[in-house]
Amino acid sequence: MVMHQLSPSAWFLLAAPILVNSSPAPAGAVTDWHQTMGGNVRLVLESAIADKDGHLPSLMRGAIEIKLDEGWHTYWRDPGASGIPPMFQWAAGSDIQSATIHYPAPRWVDDAYGGYAGYTEPVSLPITFETDGRASARLEGSLLLGICEDICIPVVLPFVAEIVPSQVTALTDMVIRNAFDALPEKLSEDAVSVEFNEGSVKVTIAGEAGAETSKDLDALFVHLEGAQISYPKKMAHEGGHISFVAKVNSMPSSAKLLPMNITAMMGDKAYDVSIDVHIPSEKE
């Protein structure tokens, strides 16, 4: 039974919960590995080093560790027409109600559903969240992601942790540090321009991207909340500028400013930027 077309809410209903120990987590909190068809998943948090007043750091880091079996994959922030990106659902009693998931550079894979941006090898997705400098914080909710081959296995990883300060450095801190080190380098917003035309979007990278010229870029990935955009195709470059054009399959209905996440690939290097773009209304 193919499950690619299930909505995120339906995936939650199909997946069995995993019970997680809710004891205090003073340093390097980690869930058990959740074993599922196609791979294993766990959530790790960095050591909560106390400040001089004994409070938690205002910003904490963690990582979603995903071990994939050969032939299986999981998704980037924009997974294509039929996939599902990683997402958190927070419990009402959690002191933390939002977390940012950061993404290493994905790869594009064509398949029978139109293709997807994602990961075909084990990957760690860094996360950050704010504690507001509390003396302790309850972290409770569920992580949802898809691990897929010909079918998608919905993975729901519930977690409960009481995070308290500690001066201990945990071994899991190395996992988190390596995950952040693997993120793309930052690309200047001034180097990027976006132009919407009827049914398509054109992204132009100008000038320098790191130490190399933008003409050497060989792949681009874009994500726009509420839109479904195909894999951008590389166009001819001119004068250090290069453009990628993608078909827009769906778009938010009203004009507004929305953040567009762009990841540019140059060989084994990756660059990342988020810019606010104006979404044209149907009359524009």
Side-chain angles (χ1 to χ4, degrees):
M1 178 177 63
V2 176
M3 296 167 57
H4 278 271
Q5 303 302 322
L6 291 177
S7 68
S9 59
W11 288 40
F12 272 112
L13 293 175
L14 286 171
I18 305 98
L19 298 178
V20 179
N21 194 319
S22 60
S23 60
V30 58
T31 67
D32 292 333
W33 282 105
H34 170 51
Q35 298 181 351
T36 185
M37 186 182 299
N40 301 315
V41 182
R42 71 173 180 173
L43 180 67
V44 298
L45 302 178
E46 70 180 349
S47 300
I49 306 300
D51 66 13
K52 61 181 179 61
D53 297 318
H55 292 171
L56 295 171
S58 58
L59 183 70
M60 287 192 62
R61 309 194 307 177
I64 304 163
E65 278 196 281
I66 306 170
K67 292 184 177 180
L68 295 169
D69 294 341
E70 186 175 353
W72 291 73
H73 65 269
T74 192
Y75 295 107
W76 186 59
R77 66 170 83 238
D78 191 322
S82 59
I84 184 170
M87 63 183 73
F88 285 104
Q89 186 176 66
W90 299 97
S94 179
D95 293 322
I96 311 302
Q97 288 292 323
S98 66
T100 301
I101 302 175
H102 307 272
Y103 294 86
R107 57 174 298 198
W108 183 265
V109 179
D110 289 311
D111 64 10
Y113 301 93
Y116 62 87
Y119 310 96
T120 57
E121 297 180 353
V123 64
S124 292
L125 306 179
I127 63 172
T128 53
F129 60 91
E130 295 183 0
T131 69
D132 294 329
R134 291 179 172 87
S136 64
R138 181 176 178 82
L139 195 72
E140 181 178 2
S142 299
L143 168 69
L144 167 69
L145 66 144
I147 294 181
C148 309
E149 190 186 35
D150 295 327
I151 64 171
C152 275
I153 306 300
V155 178
V156 178
L157 177 61
F159 50 85
V160 180
E162 296 290 341
I163 308 172
V164 296
S166 172
Q167 297 295 343
V168 176
T169 299
L171 292 177
T172 50
D173 288 357
M174 183 178 297
V175 172
I176 296 165
R177 186 163 54 250
N178 291 341
F180 276 88
D181 287 345
L183 291 178
E185 297 180 26
K186 291 302 179 183
L187 184 63
S188 170
E189 294 183 29
D190 296 334
V192 182
S193 63
V194 176
E195 178 184 353
F196 287 96
N197 297 303
E198 187 173 351
S200 67
V201 60
K202 178 181 179 182
V203 179
T204 300
I205 310 294
E208 299 289 322
E212 307 288 342
T213 58
S214 61
K215 67 181 179 64
D216 294 321
L217 296 175
D218 49 34
L220 198 78
F221 299 90
V222 297
H223 170 254
L224 183 66
E225 191 68 35
Q228 204 284 303
I229 300 174
S230 65
Y231 182 48
K233 302 299 183 183
K234 183 178 180 179
M235 309 299 288
H237 61 78
E238 181 179 358
H241 295 53
I242 187 166
S243 297
F244 291 78
V245 174
K247 180 182 177 182
V248 177
N249 300 312
S250 64
M251 184 69 73
S253 58
S254 59
K256 61 183 74 175
L257 278 175
L258 287 177
M260 174 179 280
N261 299 102
I262 300 169
T263 298
M265 301 294 297
M266 184 190 306
D268 59 355
K269 294 182 179 180
Y271 302 88
D272 185 79
V273 66
S274 178
I275 61 172
D276 290 331
V277 296
H278 173 70
I279 308 303
S281 66
E282 295 180 358
K283 296 181 180 180
E284 292 185 74

